[in-house]
Amino acid sequence: MKNIFDAPFLKEMESATANMYRLGWDERNGGNISYLLNEEDVGEYIYLEHIIRKIPIGFEAPELAGRILIVTGTGKYFKNVKSDPETNLGIIRIGKDGSTAELLWGWDDGGKFTSELPAHLMSHIARLSVNPENRIIMHCHPDYTLAMSQLHEIDEKSFTRDLWGQMTESIVVFPDGVGVLPWMVCGNNEIGVATANKMKDYRLVIWTLHGIYGAGRNMDETFGLIETVEKAAKQYILTYRLEKKNTITDENLAELAKAFNLNYRKDFLDLK
Ligand code: 2HA
Ligand code: ZN
């Protein structure tokens, strides 16, 4: 067996949580990440037949039965993951029944997975149905995205258009736009279903007055999506209600889409 503390997937979780904390996206126990792993990769580091504990998930995810994920823990702080991954993270396998998490490693203080596991698993199922290569679901509370969600109407077309309009890179990074949910109670199946429904069309979903969900094939892609939305939201806030001398027009966005061969949400632009 190789040393789990050298596992690339563990290092990716450590650096993602450390970076997110450093950027102020994950105060206290805010935020959560789940990462679908390949059985062969995990099997090099832990015995897959050794189940430490079985933890009820609270809903059924038969689509993910047998799948293994590394997940942040409930009540755990992102700032502490790097110095103590075994307490703050867990590796779980979804049991054959689809409603039990088999703990294979981690949460050595008796802890368990994030309270947002329903939203994560349902989002994985939704994203996998669109892109079988999707492996990451990431949630956090970035400042400017949160501030923008206080000021902006809850409308996917205008929210996306306003993010795209802040800077040239936006439409290039997220041509599929952002989904937006109204304020909801978090941590339950209802918000999980609502998030997963949006995830069928978007890799990014804003939770109004709470934060953002991102999905991607790997950690960099997912992190980069959220980072780019947050940067655009920062521009929105920095220039809010100020007189703008220069703007990106719908025609400019269409030019960008052509130049970068983007498969973008054409219905989000009003082209003449
Ligand atoms: O895990 O961010 O949404 C803490 C949260 C809940
Ligand atoms: Zn949250």
Side-chain angles (χ1 to χ4, degrees), residues 26-27 29-32 72-76 78 114-116 139-141 186-187 207 210 213:
D26 297 277
E27 76 292 344
N29 63 321
N32 23 76
T72 51
T74 183
K76 305 298 192 218
F78 272 25
T114 165
S115 60
E116 302 293 0
H139 165 64
C140 57
H141 308 157
C186 57
W207 279 10
H210 183 138
Y213 263 75

Side-chain angles (χ1 to χ4, degrees), residues 3 6 34 38 65 70 72 90 117 120 126 168 179 181 196 225 232 236 240 268:
N3 184 348
D6 297 331
S34 61
N38 292 324
I70 186 161
T72 51
L117 196 71
H120 278 252
T168 305
L181 285 180
L225 283 169
Y236 180 89
Y240 190 64
F268 283 3

Side-chain angles (χ1 to χ4, degrees), residues 156 159-160 176-181 198 202-207 268:
E156 279 145 1
F159 208 111
T160 298
D176 40 348
V178 296
V180 186
L181 285 180
K198 296 288 181 199
Y202 301 99
R203 289 173 298 164
L204 289 155
V205 180
I206 310 269
W207 279 10
F268 283 3

Side-chain angles (χ1 to χ4, degrees), residues 45-254:
Y45 300 95
I46 53 174
Y47 293 103
L48 299 177
E49 45 304 334
H50 178 64
I51 298 169
I52 301 168
R53 282 184 275 142
K54 289 191 178 179
I55 316 172
I57 299 175
F59 73 103
E60 309 221 326
E63 297 90 338
L64 295 175
R67 300 298 300 264
I68 299 174
L69 304 103
I70 186 161
V71 186
T72 51
T74 183
K76 305 298 192 218
Y77 292 24
F78 272 25
K79 78 180 174 64
N80 297 337
V81 170
K82 201 167 194 148
S83 59
D84 188 3
E86 200 162 2
T87 305
N88 293 290
L89 302 175
I91 297 177
I92 56 172
R93 179 172 52 214
I94 309 302
K96 287 197 180 64
D97 57 1
S99 60
T100 313
E102 301 169 348
L103 180 63
L104 303 177
W105 178 86
W107 298 317
D108 63 1
D109 61 348
K112 68 173 201 172
F113 43 74
T114 165
S115 60
E116 302 293 0
L117 196 71
H120 278 252
L121 296 188
M122 291 181 207
S123 293
H124 275 293
I125 293 166
R127 284 313 304 166
L128 287 170
S129 73
V130 184
N131 181 355
E133 287 181 16
N134 195 88
R135 293 173 74 184
I136 309 274
I137 301 291
M138 182 182 279
H139 165 64
C140 57
H141 308 157
D143 288 302
Y144 292 95
T145 304
L146 262 171
M148 184 168 167
S149 83
Q150 296 196 44
L151 301 174
H152 205 283
E153 60 185 329
I154 299 169
D155 173 75
E156 279 145 1
K157 176 177 171 178
S158 64
F159 208 111
T160 298
R161 174 63 185 81
D162 277 334
L163 288 170
W164 284 350
Q166 299 306 319
M167 54 186 213
T168 305
E169 282 291 301
S170 282
I171 193 173
V172 179
V173 175
F174 51 98
D176 40 348
V178 296
V180 186
L181 285 180
W183 182 87
M184 294 175 78
V185 173
C186 57
N188 59 29
N189 291 357
E190 196 187 341
I191 200 168
V193 171
T195 307
N197 273 336
K198 296 288 181 199
M199 283 278 179
K200 288 177 194 156
D201 294 317
Y202 301 99
R203 289 173 298 164
L204 289 155
V205 180
I206 310 269
W207 279 10
T208 296
L209 297 164
H210 183 138
I212 188 166
Y213 263 75
R217 290 164 299 178
N218 55 50
M219 204 66 87
D220 272 353
E221 177 183 313
T222 316
F223 192 97
L225 283 169
I226 294 177
E227 193 176 28
T228 309
V229 167
E230 174 64 355
K231 176 111 182 177
K234 184 172 181 177
Q235 300 305 310
Y236 180 89
I237 298 298
L238 288 174
T239 57
Y240 190 64
R241 291 199 167 154
L242 298 179
E243 187 201 347
K244 298 195 180 100
K245 297 263 187 334
N246 304 298
T247 56
I248 298 176
T249 64
D250 281 8
E251 284 70 29
N252 294 152
L253 290 167

